[in-house]
Amino acid sequence: MKNFPMFLRMDGRRVVLCGGGEEIARKARLMLKTEARIAILADTLDAELAGLVASGRATRCAEDAATFAGAVLVFIHTGDAARDAALAAEARGAGAVVNVIDRPDLCDAFTPSIVDRDPVVVAIGTEGAAPVLGRAIKTEIETMLAPRLGSFVALAGHLRGAVAQAFAPRDRRSFWEWAFSGEAFRAHLDGRERLAAGLLKDAIAAGQTPGNKGHIALVGAGPGARDLLTMRAVRRLQQADVIFYDRLVDPEVLELARRDADRVYVGKEVGAHAWPQDRIDRLIVAEASRGRRVVRLKSGDPSVFGRACEELDAAAAAGIEVEIVPGITAASAAAAAIGRPLTERGETDTFVITTGTCRPGDAGPDRSLLARPGTSVAFYMAVEKAAQVEGDLIAAGAPGKCPVDIVAAVSTGRQAHVATTLDRLAQAVRDHGIVSPAILMVRYPKSLAAGQAGAGTRAA
Ligand code: SAH
């Protein structure tokens, strides 16, 4: 570690910015987050810096013996290398920590990449070796830390004294553990700030740490790639005590969970039987009833062929708080992967999501409605039913030339795409050895109905 990270006290201290351009304005923006007194030494100021001076948030200073007196930090970028070096020497002589922008050789200290959830601040440095990586790490951490985290920590800070009075020292730790993970924490991060404050204050008034209330989140894991999760999904994963997942959830996604969270696999490989749904329902409810935070992680969007209703009903029957965190469904991801939108102005104005496989014993789906001009259909769970889909749609009047995209294992390393037509769908599935999971996307463009055979079959 060539550079040692420290947090500098800034309130009321003097910071001098030497220069009047954009580089200095950027440092000014950083300093404005603090309560430092900002002085600017420059002949001309850009509009932003001039605005700061006009509003009284910064002052201009002259170059004389007092310029750097009492300054804790000095940033320099005048556009004149010799002048920068001279100012750096002078500032250092006055005892300030100096940063000359883009001149690491003249710097005493470097500004890190910052994730700001004031009062929680994360600083990332790479000792100049890889600033681009530093920014990428910042982005990762930005997604991990909820935007409202800082205001919750500030609230907790205000309550520290009250907690110290209400709880004996040995009980304080469990209070704070609850405060930073329990119901109040979740409520605040979700924007219910008044409820959160109320819960904290009630607990303090009672002098008792509430038991953790269990919670179930049905979380959409998206099609596979871990950067296709929503930020809320990532947050639920990181808060979870236990995660129930099935076979379509990519291992990459599970890595986003807390290391010590329990992971329970509730689905088996293709062909074998998954856990019965009622067993999953019972288990997630049992875990939440013990006060644990449960994530039921489902591929794609939990609301699309995800058996979410059963789990919602089971949670409601047990009086457990439950939420759905939406995800990117396979059809959306497939459309993105092949660069063909699900609807197309003038050609397909109706988009249908349907399944090739129904509950055993249920009547087969009525596909006649799907064979209409202007309709684009995504068939889920239909690889084994390709021949039936093809036959039903053609029997219902869809032209054999309707374009079809078969997209398998979207967004994973095994992704595959076959473009074909409806009359060759089953053949294409066989010829290309397509296996589940795959989406069959069938389009019946209006131009095809108008007798313009071949129109709308633009190669994907
Ligand atoms: N809730 C999921 C669908 C679950 S049903 C969603 O919203 O995507 C399972 C079916 O989804 C599979 O048979 C397949 O048709 C589709 N599917 C899921 N993940 C997929 C992927 N990565 N690539 C292609 N199809 C996928």
Side-chain angles (χ1 to χ4, degrees):
M1 212 190 278
K2 284 204 296 275
N3 304 329
F4 187 76
M6 292 278 276
F7 288 95
L8 283 181
R9 279 205 109 102
M10 297 303 287
D11 41 324
R13 301 186 79 180
R14 179 175 165 85
V15 172
V16 183
L17 307 177
C18 304
E22 168 59 20
E23 288 79 2
I24 287 293
R26 233 177 280 156
K27 299 297 181 196
R29 267 172 244 148
L30 278 180
M31 288 303 112
L32 283 172
K33 292 171 180 276
T34 74
E35 283 162 38
R37 288 182 296 122
I38 302 169
I40 306 175
L41 173 70
D43 298 334
T44 51
L45 300 183
D46 82 352
E48 184 180 353
L49 293 169
L52 279 183
V53 171
S55 70
R57 187 57 187 89
T59 54
R60 292 187 80 161
C61 62
E63 191 171 358
D64 55 33
T67 308
F68 299 116
V72 56
L73 259 181
V74 174
F75 291 99
I76 302 172
H77 187 91
T78 63
D80 172 341
R83 182 157 159 70
D84 284 357
L87 286 168
E90 207 182 313
R92 195 168 292 125
V97 172
V98 175
N99 178 283
V100 185
I101 298 165
D102 295 336
R103 290 289 306 273
D105 53 315
L106 292 180
C107 286
D108 298 320
F110 304 91
T111 40
S113 293
I114 294 173
V115 180
D116 178 10
R117 300 288 186 277
D118 184 37
V120 177
V121 176
V122 182
I124 303 139
T126 59
E127 298 197 343
V132 173
L133 176 67
R135 279 192 290 278
I137 295 171
K138 167 187 154 79
T139 307
E140 289 254 318
I141 297 177
E142 288 283 2
T143 63
M144 281 167 53
L145 301 184
R148 293 192 184 88
L149 179 69
S151 53
F152 187 80
V153 175
L155 169 65
H158 300 318
L159 295 173
R160 280 208 102 76
V163 172
Q165 281 194 341
F167 291 87
R170 66 173 185 286
D171 296 330
R172 278 179 212 151
R173 191 187 161 87
S174 64
F175 173 84
W176 287 120
E177 276 172 0
W178 167 77
F180 283 108
S181 65
E183 207 186 345
F185 187 62
R186 285 197 302 273
H188 187 100
L189 297 198
D190 290 346
R192 291 171 294 156
E193 297 175 9
R194 256 206 285 179
L195 171 66
L199 288 167
L200 288 176
K201 288 177 189 173
D202 287 350
I204 294 169
Q208 239 186 3
T209 299
N212 263 329
K213 262 175 83 181
H215 174 263
I216 298 173
L218 309 182
V219 175
R226 74 184 214 147
D227 58 352
L228 286 179
L229 257 75
T230 66
M231 291 191 193
R232 189 176 300 176
V234 175
R235 220 147 39 232
R236 290 297 174 269
L237 277 174
Q238 286 167 354
Q239 291 164 349
D241 297 310
V242 53
I243 297 160
F244 292 88
Y245 66 101
D246 45 38
R247 73 177 171 87
L248 285 181
V249 170
D250 206 277
E252 266 198 6
V253 169
L254 278 174
E255 279 169 23
L256 294 166
R258 258 180 26 213
R259 203 167 310 154
D260 57 347
D262 295 332
R263 294 156 167 77
V264 184
Y265 181 52
V266 298
K268 303 235 172 78
E269 294 306 326
V270 194
H273 288 292
W275 281 27
Q277 184 63 42
D278 59 348
R279 184 169 172 210
I280 299 175
D281 298 346
R282 273 199 313 276
L283 256 169
I284 60 175
V285 165
E287 288 288 343
S289 302
R290 290 171 51 204
R292 302 187 86 197
R293 284 156 305 182
V294 177
V295 161
R296 174 72 180 100
L297 191 60
K298 292 164 174 290
S299 77
D301 184 285
S303 299
V304 177
F305 305 126
R307 310 209 43 184
C309 290
E310 283 109 311
E311 291 165 14
L312 290 170
D313 290 347
I320 289 165
E321 199 190 327
V322 61
E323 71 169 331
I324 298 178
V325 179
I328 295 177
T329 192
S332 297
I338 65 172
R340 176 181 286 285
L342 295 167
T343 59
E344 190 179 340
R345 206 163 124 98
E347 285 290 16
T348 47
D349 50 21
T350 300
F351 166 53
V352 179
I353 285 182
T354 186
T355 173
T357 308
C358 290
R359 201 162 54 172
D362 277 5
D366 175 3
R367 299 208 166 104
S368 58
L369 286 173
L370 310 179
R372 298 257 172 102
T375 306
S376 151
V377 189
F379 287 91
Y380 287 60
M381 295 179 276
V383 172
E384 271 108 61
K385 301 288 163 61
Q388 220 170 314
V389 167
E390 176 184 325
D392 285 359
L393 291 182
I394 288 178
K401 290 286 157 257
C402 281
V404 174
D405 290 293
I406 306 167
V407 199
V410 176
S411 90
T412 73
R414 304 173 308 281
Q415 180 175 308
H417 172 211
V418 176
T420 181
T421 48
L422 183 57
D423 52 0
R424 307 172 65 148
L425 169 57
Q427 186 70 41
V429 165
R430 273 196 306 275
D431 289 353
H432 293 271
I434 300 292
V435 292
S436 177
I439 287 276
L440 313 181
M441 316 243 270
V442 182
R443 269 173 304 129
Y444 185 174
K446 289 183 183 171
S447 54
L448 204 56
Q452 302 164 20
T457 51
R458 196 175 67 208

